[in-house]
């Protein structure tokens, strides 16, 4: 997404890193249907899914990284 690209261009990746780590920790203790995703995480997941659906599904199913569900991403993909 555009928000991630803007942060990378400005060199401000620390806030993206912080959001990523914070949301991964939160996802460990919240039921998957109760998770509220930060817009940067939505952008990150959408970017991955747009580049490669197979890679997105592999990472999501591996459990190594918790990602928003495909149905959650579908809500944002039309904008």
């Amino acid at each position: 997404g555009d928000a991630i690209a803007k942060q990378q261009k400005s060199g401000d990746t620390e806030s993206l890193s912080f959001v990523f780590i914070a949301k991964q920790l939160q996802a460990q203790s919240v039921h998957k249907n109760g998770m509220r995703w930060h817009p940067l995480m939505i952008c990150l997941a959408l970017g991955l899914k747009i580049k490669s659906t197979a890679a997105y599904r592999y990472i999501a199913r591996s459990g190594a990284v918790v990602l928003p569900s495909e149905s959650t991403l579908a809500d944002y993909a039309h904008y």
Side-chain angles (χ1 to χ4, degrees), residues 4-55:
I4 294 172
K6 286 178 188 176
Q7 279 195 324
Q8 288 174 338
K9 286 180 185 174
S10 71
D12 183 18
T13 57
E14 187 171 312
S15 62
L16 175 59
S17 299
F18 176 79
V19 169
F20 179 80
I21 292 169
K23 286 299 174 181
Q24 290 302 299
L25 292 172
Q26 181 185 11
Q28 300 301 317
S29 61
V30 174
H31 188 274
K32 68 178 186 173
N33 294 333
M35 188 69 180
R36 300 294 175 252
W37 292 100
H38 190 281
L40 286 175
M41 289 297 297
I42 297 289
C43 288
L44 180 69
L46 263 176
L48 176 60
K49 189 170 186 308
I50 288 168
K51 287 288 186 183
S52 174
T53 299

Side-chain angles (χ1 to χ4, degrees), residues 51-74:
K51 287 288 186 183
S52 174
T53 299
Y56 170 86
R57 289 178 179 161
Y58 176 80
I59 292 169
R61 290 177 184 154
S62 74
V65 175
V66 182
L67 296 171
S69 68
E70 291 187 70
S71 62
T72 297
L73 296 180

